[in-house]
């Protein structure tokens, strides 16, 4: 709730400066909504993953939680993809593919945006690494998978920083 309040305060400050074109505003607002959804789902999936990973829950419940964890993680990645895709349509911000996927390529809230791009890459690569865990090695994968928290922290900083 604190993050949402800070975000609303930040957005409210910028609402009255040079309003963007209506279509661009729609894309920017949609992107913001998808970004917040990705962050909320991502943070929500953590406790489920911890319950399964730490073997707090076993048996049938663990299997259900594992399925829930994978499903929520995929929803998070989907919302993240929609966040970036919708942002591409926010023409008032002058996005480009490079600016959307390369950290520090966009001067718009440069640090916050760069941290968001880095966080998105961390979450996407480490989240999807689940499907390659046998190839990577389950032990190494588990260690790397824990770094998803870093990606989510970068997403929080990105949100607060107005990225």
């Amino acid at each position: 709730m604190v993050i949402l309040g800070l975000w609303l305060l930040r957005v409210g400050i910028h609402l009255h400066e040079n309003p963007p074109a209506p279509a661009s505003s729609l894309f920017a607002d949609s992107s913001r909504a998808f970004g917040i959804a990705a962050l909320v789902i991502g943070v929500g999936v953590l406790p489920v993953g911890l319950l399964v990973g730490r073997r707090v829950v076993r048996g049938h419940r663990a299997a259900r939680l594992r399925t829930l964890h994978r499903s929520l993680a995929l929803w998070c990645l989907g919302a993240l993809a929609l966040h970036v895709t919708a942002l591409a349509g926010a023409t008032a911000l002058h996005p480009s593919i490079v600016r959307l996927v390369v950290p520090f390529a966009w001067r718009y809230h440069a640090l916050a945006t760069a941290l968001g791009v880095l966080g998105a890459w961390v979450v996407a690569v480490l989240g999807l690494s689940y499907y390659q865990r046998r190839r990577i090695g389950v032990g190494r994968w588990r260690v790397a998978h824990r770094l998803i928290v870093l990606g989510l922290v970068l997403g929080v900083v990105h949100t607060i920083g107005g990225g």
Side-chain angles (χ1 to χ4, degrees), residues 113-134:
T113 301
L115 294 177
V117 172
L118 286 170
W121 279 113
V122 168
V123 168
V125 169
L126 294 178
L128 292 173
S129 70
Y130 168 79
Y131 298 100
Q132 295 295 319
R133 69 189 182 285
R134 287 193 180 109

Side-chain angles (χ1 to χ4, degrees), residues 18-56:
N18 302 331
S24 180
S25 179
L26 175 66
F27 281 105
D29 292 344
S30 297
S31 176
R32 193 172 293 119
F34 287 128
I36 290 172
L39 191 57
V40 168
I41 296 167
V43 170
V45 77
L46 284 176
V48 178
L50 288 172
L51 287 173
V52 174
R54 298 287 181 199
R55 296 184 175 99
V56 173

Side-chain angles (χ1 to χ4, degrees), residues 57-129:
V57 178
R58 296 178 186 259
H60 294 296
R61 287 184 181 161
R64 288 183 188 147
L65 283 178
R66 198 172 295 112
T67 300
L68 177 63
H69 180 69
R70 275 195 307 267
S71 297
L72 287 174
L74 290 173
W75 277 100
C76 174
L77 292 173
L80 186 59
L82 288 170
H83 169 60
V84 174
T85 303
L87 191 56
T91 56
L93 298 174
H94 308 290
S96 70
I97 299 298
V98 171
R99 288 177 174 173
L100 292 171
V101 299
V102 177
F104 298 102
W106 202 345
R107 296 202 187 275
Y108 177 78
H109 296 265
L111 182 60
T113 301
L115 294 177
V117 172
L118 286 170
W121 279 113
V122 168
V123 168
V125 169
L126 294 178
L128 292 173
S129 70

